[in-house]
Amino acid sequence: MRKYVIMGVQGSGKGTQSELLCDDLDLVHISVGDVFRWHVQHHTKLGAQVRRTVNAGELVGDDMVESVVRDRLDQHDWNFGFIIDGFPRNGRQAEFFMESYDIDGVIHLELPDDEVRRRVLSRRLCPGCGMDYNLIADRPKVEGRCDICRTELITREDDTPEALAGRLRDYHEKTRPVLELFRRKEVVYDIDARPAVEQVQASIRKVLGLPAYSPPE
Ligand code: AMP
């Protein structure tokens, strides 16, 4: 059983790196942001409660976040383990998490703010199938259309310069201290997130002692 937390500023590749690890090692990727976005898109009661906050890129209240995380982990569909992404984001969430679950390590993806801006503002999402694109590194074959389902690509509502500035501020003020908390109790692996996706994946596996990454043919 492998249980990890992945941390890093928006755009540092948490989702991409988690998916690569999960596909190969049968881990479950738990993205708290994805859970909230799903509720917003599907107009659930919870979605209505968090829509404005999520669209503005602000942090949802701790009670609600904790209950979403608890419900998700209570499903126990993670026989081989999980990677939790986007949580914890502040001191209180970290305390709750460390009291309730033990983990094998924290993967910390480090990326300078300038590079974050460059990446996040070029990010596009397919509202049809959920596929992510990036106009710098991962362009769709036909401009503005999803390669898989042909739906018109959109920009996430929280990927605007204003929302991003707020999220960077939140990250530095609230999330960085979480890392310091973790460093006292858990093993934190610092990874340079600037290189190409495959290289970052290889570095993560090396420090965690996992089987080497072999990119698809
Ligand atoms: P993300 O995809 O991780 O950037 O999350 C998208 C949005 O979901 C955030 O901007 C917050 O509104 C909300 N969210 C996700 N994770 C958390 C968390 N741990 N605490 C509070 N809000 C969160």
Side-chain angles (χ1 to χ4, degrees), residues 55-83:
N55 286 347
E58 288 162 13
L59 292 184
V60 173
D62 291 332
D63 288 337
M64 190 169 292
V65 175
E66 285 169 17
S67 90
V68 161
V69 170
R70 196 180 297 113
D71 288 351
R72 183 64 193 80
L73 289 174
D74 279 353
Q75 289 176 21
H76 286 283
D77 56 344
W78 35 275
N79 293 343
F80 297 99
F82 60 77
I83 303 181

Side-chain angles (χ1 to χ4, degrees), residues 1-4 21-22 24-28 76-83 104 210:
M1 171 90 68
R2 297 175 169 127
K3 291 178 281 179
Y4 302 113
L21 285 169
C22 289
D24 205 20
L25 303 166
D26 271 337
L27 309 179
V28 173
H76 286 283
D77 56 344
W78 35 275
N79 293 343
F80 297 99
F82 60 77
I83 303 181
D104 297 308
L210 296 172

Side-chain angles (χ1 to χ4, degrees), residues 24 205 212-216:
D24 205 20
R205 290 182 181 224
Y213 174 63
S214 42

Side-chain angles (χ1 to χ4, degrees), residues 32-33 36-37 53-54 57-60 65 86-87 89 93 156:
V32 178
F36 285 132
R37 273 188 292 279
T53 314
V54 170
E58 288 162 13
L59 292 184
V60 173
V65 175
F87 177 89
R89 289 264 237 279
Q93 292 178 9
R156 259 169 59 169

